[in-house]
C-alpha cells in the first residue's frame, strides 16, 4: 500500500486530455511538500516529467502540466499521443517516512 | 552532462551477499546526495535511502532500514547498495538517482530525482 494513492489505470483516445490524481495526507502533500511526476516507458528508467508541483524540465512538451491543491496533486496530459503510453508516478516527501512514491498509473492510449 | 552509470545485472542464490554500484560523472560527486529506488517485478517505485558522499551521511526509509547498506567511495565517485544475505524477495530492478534537496533549520528534505541511472537487475533464485 503506497503512501500516495494513484488510480491504477487511465485511458484516452489520441488528441484527448487525461488527468492522473495523486492523493496524500497531512504528513506529506498536505504539509506543504511539493509533488513531482515521472514517466516510465516500458523497459526504461523513470524520467522526470514535472518537478516542484508544476515545473517542466527542459525538453518536456507543454502538453504535460501539473498542479497541487491541499492534500492532492494532478498530472494533466493534453493532446494525447501514442508515445505517451507509459506508467506515471507521483513522488513527494513525508515528515515521518522520507521520500515517498505513488503506486503508479498505467496510461493506455486507445 | 550529468550521468549515473550502474553496474550490470546480477544472478545470485538466496543467502549470498551482493554489492551493486552507481558511478557519477559530470558533476561534483561529493556535493550532491545519491539515492536508491527499488522496483519489484511489475510493481511501483520505492524510495530506499540516500547518502551524501561528502561525509557519508546516510538516511534509510523505515522499510529498508537494516535490510540493506548504502555506502559511497568518493575517491572514485561511486555509490553502493549492499546486501549481506539475499532473499528471493530482493529480486527487483534497482535504480540510483540524484535527488534535489532543500536544507533549513529543520534539516534536509529531499525533492525530485534527476538524473537516474539505467538500473541494475538483481535476480535471486535457487
Amino acid at each position: 500500500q503506497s503512501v500516495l494513492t494513484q488510480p491504477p489505470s487511465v485511458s484516452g483516445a489520441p488528441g484527448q486530455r487525461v488527468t492522473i490524481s495523486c492523493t496524500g495526507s497531512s504528513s506529506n502533500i498536505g504539509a506543504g511538500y511539493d509533488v513531482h511526476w515521472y514517466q516510465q516507458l516500458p523497459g526504461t528508467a523513470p524520467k522526470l516529467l514535472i518537478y516542484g508541483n508544476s515545473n517542466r524540465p527542459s525538453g518536456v512538451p507543454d502538453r504535460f502540466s501539473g498542479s497541487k491543491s491541499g492534500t492532492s496533486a494532478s498530472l494533466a496530459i493534453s493532446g494525447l499521443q501514442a508515445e505517451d503510453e507509459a506508467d506515471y508516478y507521483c513522488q513527494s516527501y513525508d515528515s515521518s517516512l522520507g521520500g515517498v512514491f505513488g503506486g503508479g498509473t498505467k496510461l493506455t492510449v486507445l | 552532462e550529468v550521468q549515473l552509470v550502474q553496474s550490470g545485472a546480477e544472478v545470485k542464490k538466496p543467502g549470498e551477499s551482493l554489492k551493486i554500484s552507481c558511478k557519477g560523472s559530470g558533476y561534483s560527486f561529493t556535493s550532491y546526495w545519491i539515492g536508491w529506488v527499488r522496483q519489484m517485478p511489475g510493481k511501483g517505485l520505492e524510495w530506499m535511502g540516500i547518502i551524501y558522499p561528502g561525509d557519508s551521511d546516510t538516511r534509510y526509509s523505515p522499510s529498508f532500514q537494516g535490510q540493506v547498506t548504502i555506502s559511497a567511495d568518493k575517491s572514485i565517485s561511486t555509490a553502493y547498495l549492499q546486501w549481506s544475505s539475499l532473499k528471493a524477495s530482493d529480486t527487483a530492478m534497482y535504480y540510483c538517482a540524484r535527488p534535489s534537496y532543500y536544507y533549513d533549520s529543520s534539516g534536509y528534505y529531499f525533492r525530485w530525482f534527476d538524473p537516474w541511472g539505467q538500473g541494475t537487475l538483481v535476480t535471486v533464485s535457487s
Side-chain angles (χ1 to χ4, degrees):
Chain A
Q1 194 81 345
S2 300
V3 174
L4 305 179
T5 301
Q6 297 181 234
S9 63
V10 298
S11 62
Q16 283 190 332
R17 181 178 185 270
V18 296
T19 61
I20 299 172
S21 61
C22 174
T23 303
S25 68
S26 58
S27 63
N28 42 69
I29 299 175
Y33 296 115
D34 49 11
V35 179
H36 325 292
W37 292 89
Y38 302 89
Q39 178 191 60
Q40 187 176 33
L41 298 169
T44 69
K47 168 193 162 188
L48 181 66
L49 199 62
I50 297 287
Y51 67 95
N53 301 324
S54 59
N55 301 291
R56 283 186 309 276
S58 173
V60 173
D62 59 7
R63 301 186 296 105
F64 295 90
S65 62
S67 63
K68 173 192 159 185
S69 178
T71 58
S72 295
S74 290
L75 172 70
I77 310 172
S78 59
L80 209 54
Q81 299 180 3
E83 57 261 38
D84 298 333
E85 191 159 288
D87 294 325
Y88 293 83
Y89 295 90
C90 62
Q91 183 228 321
S92 186
Y93 190 80
D94 188 278
S95 56
S96 300
L97 302 172
V100 289
F101 285 98
T105 299
K106 182 176 182 58
L107 169 63
T108 301
V109 181
L110 301 171
Chain B
E1 180 196 4
V2 176
Q3 266 196 312
L4 298 173
V5 178
Q6 299 184 230
S7 50
E10 302 274 1
V11 179
K12 291 289 189 178
K13 291 182 171 19
E16 292 186 332
S17 62
L18 176 65
K19 193 173 191 178
I20 63 175
S21 66
C22 169
K23 183 174 176 61
S25 63
Y27 70 100
S28 174
F29 187 73
T30 55
S31 299
Y32 290 84
W33 294 77
I34 287 275
W36 288 94
V37 176
R38 183 175 77 174
Q39 187 168 37
M40 299 177 75
K43 301 299 183 182
L45 305 173
E46 298 174 272
W47 208 93
M48 300 179 72
I50 50 171
I51 187 167
Y52 189 74
D55 62 6
S56 294
D57 185 359
T58 308
R59 319 285 176 92
Y60 294 93
S61 171
S63 299
F64 292 93
Q65 179 80 47
Q67 307 305 307
V68 296
T69 301
I70 295 172
S71 61
D73 184 340
K74 59 187 179 184
S75 70
I76 54 172
S77 301
T78 299
Y80 301 98
L81 180 64
Q82 182 175 356
W83 295 261
S84 58
S85 181
L86 285 160
K87 303 184 284 288
S89 57
D90 293 317
T91 295
M93 182 71 83
Y94 293 88
Y95 295 101
C96 64
R98 195 181 78 171
S100 173
Y101 64 93
Y102 175 78
Y103 180 81
D104 64 13
S105 57
S106 300
Y108 286 100
Y109 100 86
F110 302 97
R111 305 177 77 192
W112 61 89
F113 281 117
D114 185 56
W116 292 63
Q118 82 278 19
T120 296
L121 180 62
V122 174
T123 303
V124 184
S125 174
S126 55

